Amino acid sequence: MEPLAIPGVYSWSRWQADRQLYFNSHFFVRSAGNVAVDPLPLDEADEARLRELGGVALIVLTNRDHARDAAAFKERFGSKIATSTAEATEMPFDIDVICKASDQIFDGAYVVPLEDQKTSGEFALFFPNERMILVGDAVIGSPRGSLSLLPDQKYGDVRKAALGLRRLLAFQPEILLVGDGASIFSGATKLLAELLRQEGGIDAYRINVDELTFESYRGPGDYHCLEAEVGYCIGAQKLGYCVVTLPPGAKVCPLHNHAQSEELFFVLEGRPTIRALDGTVQCRKGDFIAFPTGPSGTHQLLNESDADATVLLLGTEGPDEVCFYPDSNKVLIDPGRLILRASPALDYYDGE
């Protein structure tokens, strides 16, 4: 077992001569209890090291074919075993914890279900703090430094299996830990996009509204909506776009304007309201609304109607963005997500 270049993360592997690649397991040190993902058998030295690190409180199995040595781990360490509902019914032992979409299954790790894969309940784990994704069989790290899918016969439909991975692109990962082959520690998003284009064809650049995965976003008070990433999923680079659905009375973001990003909203359903510096306007299905950079493009999206409203949000992507929030007199500086009060203004030599 060896430590990875990620704090608190270890892996151990076994060479598979018939496949000419390594099978990998991963181990996460956590204060609430350590976690093993898709555990392979341990040799004596690896088991001793695991015990030194505090044992294994939870075993996560990403798919039914990665049961591997989970039963022995449970007996040896007193661990609980977690997997998805569909995979649980196919496991040769009892499951203690069911993983559901978006669950934080352990500290810093979120469940991402994957559609049309080799098995019906396969899922990945997303680690936002590290911009990292862990997969079981969904993607293979082979040849080393690149990505591929399992052999075609493993899937009902290879093209659909590839397109089922679009959700991973939404997270823009830098690191991809794989259960089979060599993991990717830099540039994972680019390699995933290349794989999807290779296996999915032109459909890798297309997605329908009814195929989007909506996640619940909730801020304080009335700030809440359902949001689905679109642009990243289909390979967008210089434009960012997502779709949001606002229930009655909801707001998406505070009143603000951008220094760099020009935006466009398009109303798909309902009658959302746009608030600007000089008043409000209620929109209707089919409306385009432009938001230039600077004060003239100051806006807030809200829903003052009695029915849901769904809106496409589109904007240019670029570095060094600055946003101003008139209601609270705040400035957001991105990168860094630094938020400051806009006044009082300081002299150039203040504090020098």
Side-chain angles (χ1 to χ4, degrees):
M1 190 171 73
E2 61 178 348
L4 302 183
I6 306 157
V9 184
Y10 297 75
S11 73
W12 71 99
S13 306
R14 295 289 181 269
W15 177 250
Q16 306 298 308
D18 59 329
R19 297 274 302 277
Q20 289 295 292
L21 50 71
Y22 283 98
F23 284 178
N24 310 308
S25 298
H26 295 90
F27 179 74
F28 298 84
V29 176
R30 294 292 189 265
S31 59
N34 299 334
V35 181
V37 179
D38 297 340
L40 291 157
L42 294 166
D43 60 28
E44 290 184 6
D46 287 341
E47 180 173 349
R49 182 64 175 136
L50 278 184
R51 292 192 183 279
E52 288 175 9
L53 291 168
V56 182
L58 180 68
I59 299 163
V60 178
L61 303 178
T62 60
N63 67 79
R64 66 194 68 168
D65 294 331
H66 279 197
R68 295 176 167 175
D69 215 34
F73 264 66
K74 181 172 184 175
E75 181 177 350
R76 201 173 305 164
F77 297 101
S79 319
K80 292 184 177 180
I81 300 178
T83 194
S84 66
T85 299
E87 302 301 276
T89 60
E90 302 295 330
M91 293 293 181
F93 39 70
D94 292 337
I95 299 299
D96 304 292
V97 181
I98 294 297
C99 302
K100 300 187 293 297
S102 302
D103 279 356
Q104 184 173 199
I105 191 63
F106 61 91
D107 185 22
Y110 294 83
V111 175
V112 183
L114 300 173
E115 297 180 353
D116 299 308
Q117 301 307 302
K118 180 187 65 171
T119 61
S120 58
E122 181 157 5
F123 61 94
L125 296 174
F126 173 52
F127 301 78
N129 292 338
E130 293 84 6
R131 286 187 60 197
M132 178 172 72
I133 286 174
L134 185 155
V135 296
D137 281 334
V139 180
I140 307 303
S142 178
R144 182 177 290 272
S146 64
L147 300 174
S148 58
L149 298 180
L150 292 166
D152 289 359
Q153 60 268 26
K154 296 288 187 179
Y155 302 103
D157 186 320
V158 176
R159 179 184 150 280
K160 288 178 69 175
L163 296 179
L165 301 176
R166 287 181 295 199
R167 192 173 182 191
L168 298 182
L169 279 179
F171 300 111
Q172 296 288 279
E174 183 67 16
I175 300 168
L176 182 68
L177 302 181
V178 297
D180 301 351
S183 292
I184 303 296
F185 292 94
S186 178
T189 292
K190 181 176 183 294
L191 293 176
L192 273 171
E194 291 173 354
L195 175 64
L196 264 65
R197 185 66 174 88
Q198 173 186 325
E199 299 289 349
I202 189 62
D203 269 347
Y205 293 158
R206 179 210 63 82
I207 196 167
N208 195 278
V209 172
D210 65 12
E211 298 175 291
L212 298 177
T213 300
F214 283 83
E215 304 280 358
S216 177
Y217 165 78
R218 181 166 290 277
D222 297 331
Y223 291 101
H224 60 100
C225 67
L226 294 174
E227 181 176 11
E229 174 60 39
V230 181
Y232 288 151
C233 294
I234 54 176
Q237 297 179 27
K238 295 186 178 181
L239 288 176
Y241 30 106
C242 66
V243 173
V244 298
T245 295
L246 292 79
K251 305 171 183 176
V252 168
C253 55
L255 186 72
H256 70 285
N257 63 64
H258 294 265
Q260 301 291 336
S261 177
E262 182 167 318
E263 292 186 290
L264 167 74
F265 290 0
F266 179 71
V267 180
L268 296 170
E269 296 289 345
R271 300 185 65 84
T273 292
I274 300 296
R275 177 185 168 216
L277 290 176
D278 54 353
T280 63
V281 59
Q282 190 172 61
C283 304
R284 62 188 178 90
K285 182 177 179 178
D287 275 355
F288 296 89
I289 312 102
F291 303 107
T293 58
S296 65
T298 303
H299 63 280
Q300 181 181 36
L301 175 64
L302 56 154
N303 185 3
E304 298 178 320
S305 76
D306 58 2
D308 287 354
T310 299
V311 184
L312 168 67
L313 316 183
L314 183 149
T316 54
E317 295 278 1
D320 306 323
E321 180 62 280
V322 176
C323 294
F324 176 59
Y325 298 83
D327 288 343
S328 53
N329 195 37
K330 294 195 303 284
V331 175
L332 180 148
I333 302 171
D334 192 4
R337 306 297 294 177
L338 179 64
I339 300 177
L340 307 169
R341 291 294 175 199
S343 60
L346 300 177
D347 179 79
Y348 178 73
Y349 292 102
D350 183 87
E352 298 298 331

